[in-house]
Amino acid sequence: MANQAAYGRVVQVKDVPSQQVTRIIVELPIESHVRATQVFYGQDVLVVRGAVPNQPYGVHQGDEEQGNELLPSESPKEDYGHCYQALYKAGFFNNPNVWAALGSDAEYQDWCRRQPSVITGSGDWVDGIGEMRCEYAHVRRAGNGSGTGIKPEYWGVPLRHAEHAMQHQNGEIAVLKHHGKSIETEQAAREWFEKKAAQMRTEWLKSRLYEWFGVDSLKDIPPSDFAAWADKHYLPIPAVFRS
């Protein structure tokens, strides 16, 4: 194959940590784009900085034995964010069966311990691992299956050791007021912890889905793929999502 070259302007550079790549989108003149999609799409490429005047990057293709080196143009991804907003509003992520499909309670607790405290936003330094860690504090409520000696699954938040101890010894309102939270009643303190527990669980669920589908946002998951995953785990999907 004879040497060929095409020059274009880089219009987007985005790191995709979940795939360990940097995605580069290049705009080409229409005649070059047609040639690229017909001949070079899906091949390995070489991106050369400063290939031609007034172009931030040039992309060129070399001899066949050196590998095809033309970067194809990518079409913008469709944004499915509105579908997942509907899923949230329908209460899909409040289903304990969804929680279990994405990981065990032990996995959730381990994830929480690696997050900063919901009260102070910090953690306790652990010399053995050289990182900050928190303790997992259960949020016990009669409505979530708690009782004497019973700790509810997937209901908890990360707290520093001292915060966790104060929560046990003095109660939820005491630890919140000690750290300057404007909480005046026991009921308000209960609601504060319940809200934080729900938020933490949702963040964990999202992180598991990102890992499962290899994306950085739910809006990048085609609804058909998500519905297939839900069907596999016998999880009912609201009609509004399928539409």
Side-chain angles (χ1 to χ4, degrees), residues 87-98:
L87 207 60
Y88 275 114
K89 292 178 180 179
F92 178 83
F93 292 104
N94 295 329
N95 184 346
N97 292 327
V98 173

Side-chain angles (χ1 to χ4, degrees), residues 73-181:
S73 172
E74 287 193 21
S75 300
K77 284 187 175 181
E78 187 169 351
D79 186 334
Y80 302 109
H82 64 285
C83 297
Y84 294 94
Q85 289 175 3
L87 207 60
Y88 275 114
K89 292 178 180 179
F92 178 83
F93 292 104
N94 295 329
N95 184 346
N97 292 327
V98 173
W99 312 344
L102 287 168
S104 67
D105 176 61
E107 290 173 313
Y108 173 60
Q109 291 191 32
D110 182 65
W111 178 85
C112 276
R113 293 185 183 99
R114 290 181 277 113
Q115 309 308 310
S117 163
V118 294
I119 295 178
T120 57
S122 59
D124 296 312
W125 182 258
V126 181
D127 287 331
I129 59 175
E131 294 180 1
M132 304 291 282
R133 284 290 187 272
C134 278
E135 295 180 2
Y136 182 76
H138 286 89
V139 176
R140 298 171 182 257
R141 300 289 185 268
N144 60 24
S146 299
T148 303
I150 300 175
K151 296 180 178 180
E153 293 189 337
Y154 305 99
W155 275 95
V157 296
L159 296 179
R160 298 185 67 179
H161 173 74
E163 298 161 6
H164 194 191
M166 183 176 290
Q167 179 208 27
H168 275 292
Q169 295 168 8
N170 304 106
E172 293 173 340
I173 190 171
V175 68
L176 292 177
K177 290 176 75 76
H178 178 78
H179 290 283
K181 303 297 182 183

Side-chain angles (χ1 to χ4, degrees), residues 24-68:
I24 301 175
I25 298 179
V26 178
E27 286 185 347
L28 301 174
I30 186 63
E31 63 274 10
S32 296
H33 169 71
V34 171
R35 183 167 45 121
T37 55
Q38 291 178 346
V39 181
F40 301 106
Y41 189 82
Q43 303 299 314
D44 293 334
V45 300
L46 174 66
V47 179
V48 184
R49 183 174 176 81
V52 294
N54 301 321
Q55 295 283 0
Y57 287 87
V59 184
H60 79 276
Q61 184 270 337
D63 291 331
E64 185 173 13
E65 60 270 17
Q66 295 176 343
N68 291 332

